Amino acid sequence: MSESKARSHPELGVEQLQAELRRVKYRRRFARSVLCILLVLALVAALAIAAAYLWLPVLRIHGDSMENTLQSGDVVVAVRGLEAEAGDLITFEVNGKLLVKRVIAKGGDVVSIDEDGVVSVNGAVIDEPYVYEAALGTCDVQMPCVVPESTYFVMGDHRAVSVDSRSEAVGFIGEDQTAGKVVLRIWPISRLEWLY
């Protein structure tokens, strides 16, 4: 615009200045909005990670000791702080590895396993429809055995290959060793299932 036109139309300069001010204010509001959204997303992500670590561990299954209940590659969610009962799946740490096994007996119970892999707790044979293959497996623990207080006797569902409380390498699992009770399989989606 020529200088003579600007002098003849002073309101034109004011309009341009106001338009520029609106544009600058819009950019600032937009930048603040983006920053707020990013901060909220970061907070949500941090809370999700904290929840997963502190309350809801997510685990990927490796190996076949829990077949057919769990298969290698399945992803499960555990919940910390839930009390486990006989028949429940728990996750726990042994030698730096997280394992998933089934609780067979709790502190004070007497466990016996015969040569065919039939399990008795307190003198009664337990019903185990989840067992993939009954077997005595690797058993270097004297049977019958009394489960110490505040511990669990755990076994895998695929008894022929599972290394569990029947072996001194794993032994009894202290309640303080557990990382949670396994409650849900989330992957693969086609096998999404509550596990308790």
Side-chain angles (χ1 to χ4, degrees), residues 61-72 74 88-90 99-103 130 132 155-159 161-162 164 185 191:
I61 303 300
H62 297 281
D64 56 1
S65 70
M66 287 303 295
E67 285 185 352
N68 270 344
T69 305
L70 299 174
Q71 296 176 0
S72 191
D74 286 358
D88 290 340
L89 301 179
I90 61 170
L99 302 177
V100 174
K101 303 291 180 193
R102 190 175 300 276
V103 174
Y130 43 76
Y132 177 69
M155 296 173 74
D157 290 353
H158 192 173
R159 303 283 164 79
V161 299
S162 179
D164 45 44
R185 175 183 22 242
R191 296 182 66 221

Side-chain angles (χ1 to χ4, degrees), residues 44-63:
V44 167
L47 289 174
I49 290 169
Y53 180 75
L54 298 173
W55 188 58
L56 294 170
V58 176
L59 312 161
R60 182 177 203 126
I61 303 300
H62 297 281

Side-chain angles (χ1 to χ4, degrees), residues 26 42 72 160 186:
Y26 173 78
S72 191
I186 59 174

